[in-house]
Amino acid sequence: MRALVKTHAGPGLELLDVPEPPMGIDDVRIGVRKTGICGTDLHIEAWDAWAAATIKPPLVVGHEFVGEVLEIGSNVTDLQPGDVVSGEGHVVCGHCRHCRAGRWHLCARTVGLGVNRDGAFAEQVVLPVTNVWHHWPGVDEEVAAIFDPFGNAVHTALTFPVLGEDVLIVGAGPIGLMAAAVVRHAGARLVVISEPNAFRRELALRMGATHVVDPRVTALSDLQPEIGMVEGFDVVLEMSGNPGALRDALDHMAHGGRMALLGIPTEEIAIDVSKVVFNQLTLRGIYGREMYETWYKMSVMLQSGLDIRPAITHRFSHRDHEAAFAAARSGDSGKVIMDWKD
Ligand code: NAD
Ligand code: ZN
């Protein structure tokens, strides 16, 4: 089968013919139709310090996908060939305290699809049945391909109640963009997105942000009185990983405000903890998606009118993977999709 492979410790990816992945009795073989490019894939392609420390080549990369079931292991009873599915990319151990309690997203021994085991940028991918999400009828195939980052957005956006609240989203990358649509759908009043990239600010307005700011030009303290904010942001979704942006957000929260942190910083970030104490703030780290409550919520919200399709801006054949990666890296893009059936 064709697959996009990190063949050696260094930059680049190669589209190669590789053997079909083996499968066990609890596994599902999936024929991949469409995939989404994640920042993680860009790190692996570029071979930065994180990738060099984490990735053991050779590795098939990628973890955002939609496909159809081709084959089920002998222990699998609840899926049939032809079913349209995506995969939860975090494969948990199943034995630790949290796994046994059903809190799979807290498993400390998580293995990442396309990071620690062969991934989905290929004609086939194999996953344990417990990691397979059977899509509900009517789901848009491109939206299904990005359930993984959509799940990051939903898990972060719904961590704290947003009904009637004023929300700041820091960073309008694909996940921040989808989070804007989710918090609007969930009843937030003001949804402000801070983002230096003009293309993404424009997209944020289409996704449901009520206001966008370029943090290099407009101070949040100038914007807040203009848009009728009472005290400060009730909820912040940190989706940039940027140190200055995190500190700035902390400075503009209401007392009792809550911040969900999804953005992955590339360095240590110093914050003024006395602000957290005196303003009685809650800071909560978010990793991945809740299995499988987030997947359920995604499916339900799509049925009740949530539309994240404007966040998908580019489509390529898998054969044009270099152009696809360049589009994703440019910043002048939302979600970039690669087709594996064309
Ligand atoms: P992305 O890199 O495309 O988006 C980050 C955005 O932040 C960019 O548009 C960038 O221009 C913007 N930004 C940079 N500096 C800023 C500033 N000072 N103020 C406001 N915005 C600023 O990434 P994404 O795919 O949308 O993911 C968002 C973040 O979440 C990334 O940091 C990513 O690494 C992280 N992530 C975390 C998880 C998790 O499970 N915790 C999963 C996926 C992604
Ligand atoms: Zn576990």
Side-chain angles (χ1 to χ4, degrees), residues 93-96 99 107:
C93 80
H95 303 291
C96 70
C99 282
C107 177

Side-chain angles (χ1 to χ4, degrees), residues 152 170-176 194-196 200 215 239-240 242 245 262-264 286-288:
N152 295 134
V170 185
I175 301 180
S194 165
E195 166 62 55
R200 289 181 164 185
M239 299 188 153
S240 76
N242 181 278
L262 181 90
I264 301 173
I286 305 291
Y287 184 53

Side-chain angles (χ1 to χ4, degrees), residues 6 11-13 37-48 51 174 197 200 313-314 316 321-336:
K6 171 64 75 180
L13 292 171
I37 298 178
C38 170
T40 303
D41 306 318
L42 301 180
H43 290 295
I44 297 173
E45 194 273 339
W47 202 251
D48 62 9
N197 178 294
R200 289 181 164 185
T313 56
H314 292 71
F316 293 91
H321 60 92
E322 284 176 0
F325 272 67
R329 200 181 294 286
S330 72
D332 289 342
S333 54
K335 208 68 219 174
V336 178

Side-chain angles (χ1 to χ4, degrees), residues 83-161:
D83 287 347
V84 176
V85 296
S86 287
E88 163 57 60
H90 288 179
V91 180
V92 300
C93 80
H95 303 291
C96 70
R97 172 197 176 170
H98 288 303
C99 282
R100 298 278 295 196
R103 297 183 292 263
W104 295 0
H105 61 290
L106 295 180
C107 177
R109 290 186 224 138
T110 297
V111 170
L113 184 69
V115 177
N116 315 111
R117 59 183 276 160
D118 279 336
F121 288 176
E123 287 179 284
Q124 291 184 14
V125 61
V126 165
L127 271 174
V129 64
T130 44
N131 279 70
V132 177
W133 181 258
H134 187 180
H135 282 292
W136 299 8
V139 70
D140 179 280
E141 195 168 273
E142 289 186 345
V143 169
I146 57 167
F147 255 48
D148 172 297
F150 178 26
N152 295 134
V154 166
H155 183 18
T156 314
L158 300 186
T159 287
F160 301 117

Side-chain angles (χ1 to χ4, degrees), residues 16-39:
L16 298 176
D17 267 318
V18 301
E20 291 176 0
M23 63 177 271
I25 56 174
D26 296 316
D27 290 339
V28 179
R29 183 185 302 283
I30 300 159
V32 176
R33 291 183 185 168
K34 289 188 165 69
T35 56
I37 298 178
C38 170

Side-chain angles (χ1 to χ4, degrees), residues 7-337:
T7 56
H8 64 283
L13 292 171
E14 287 173 57
L15 190 60
L16 298 176
D17 267 318
V18 301
E20 291 176 0
M23 63 177 271
I25 56 174
D26 296 316
D27 290 339
V28 179
R29 183 185 302 283
I30 300 159
V32 176
R33 291 183 185 168
K34 289 188 165 69
T35 56
I37 298 178
C38 170
T40 303
D41 306 318
L42 301 180
H43 290 295
I44 297 173
E45 194 273 339
W47 202 251
D48 62 9
W50 170 83
T54 311
I55 305 299
K56 307 269 176 286
L59 178 82
V60 177
V61 301
H63 55 273
E64 303 176 0
F65 73 94
V66 64
E68 82 263 1
V69 173
L70 299 178
E71 183 186 353
I72 54 173
S74 57
N75 269 355
V76 178
T77 55
D78 48 353
L79 285 169
Q80 294 301 325
D83 287 347
V84 176
V85 296
S86 287
E88 163 57 60
H90 288 179
V91 180
V92 300
C93 80
H95 303 291
C96 70
R97 172 197 176 170
H98 288 303
C99 282
R100 298 278 295 196
R103 297 183 292 263
W104 295 0
H105 61 290
L106 295 180
C107 177
R109 290 186 224 138
T110 297
V111 170
L113 184 69
V115 177
N116 315 111
R117 59 183 276 160
D118 279 336
F121 288 176
E123 287 179 284
Q124 291 184 14
V125 61
V126 165
L127 271 174
V129 64
T130 44
N131 279 70
V132 177
W133 181 258
H134 187 180
H135 282 292
W136 299 8
V139 70
D140 179 280
E141 195 168 273
E142 289 186 345
V143 169
I146 57 167
F147 255 48
D148 172 297
F150 178 26
N152 295 134
V154 166
H155 183 18
T156 314
L158 300 186
T159 287
F160 301 117
V162 293
L163 177 63
E165 304 288 36
D166 294 339
V167 178
L168 172 65
I169 300 175
V170 185
I175 301 180
L177 290 168
M178 291 186 276
V182 174
V183 293
R184 272 310 282 285
H185 190 77
R189 182 177 69 153
L190 300 174
V191 180
V192 177
I193 296 202
S194 165
E195 166 62 55
N197 178 294
F199 178 91
R200 289 181 164 185
R201 282 200 305 279
E202 177 61 35
L203 214 46
L205 289 171
R206 290 179 53 207
M207 293 296 291
T210 56
H211 303 83
V212 292
V213 286
D214 180 344
R216 300 164 302 180
V217 175
T218 308
L220 290 174
S221 33
D222 290 335
L223 177 79
Q224 284 178 322
E226 268 175 39
I227 62 176
M229 280 190 59
V230 181
E231 201 188 312
F233 290 101
D234 306 297
V235 174
V236 174
L237 311 180
E238 205 311 298
M239 299 188 153
S240 76
N242 181 278
L246 169 56
R247 283 190 286 266
D248 193 41
L250 273 178
D251 286 341
H252 293 89
M253 292 173 72
H255 283 207
R258 294 143 169 194
M259 183 187 292
L261 295 114
L262 181 90
I264 301 173
T266 53
E267 56 191 285
E268 275 189 38
I269 301 180
I271 59 164
D272 183 352
V273 175
S274 65
K275 275 181 198 144
V276 179
V277 174
F278 290 123
N279 299 352
Q280 299 163 74
L281 306 178
T282 301
L283 270 55
R284 166 96 177 262
I286 305 291
Y287 184 53
R289 299 143 295 276
E290 268 190 48
M291 299 165 217
Y292 280 81
E293 182 63 8
T294 305
W295 294 76
Y296 179 85
K297 287 272 169 61
M298 285 189 269
S299 302
V300 167
M301 287 191 290
L302 291 176
Q303 288 192 332
S304 59
L306 176 67
D307 186 10
I308 58 160
R309 283 173 302 182
I312 302 168
T313 56
H314 292 71
R315 292 145 181 102
F316 293 91
S317 163
H318 65 283
R319 281 184 293 272
D320 300 324
H321 60 92
E322 284 176 0
F325 272 67
R329 200 181 294 286
S330 72
D332 289 342
S333 54
K335 208 68 219 174
V336 178
I337 304 277

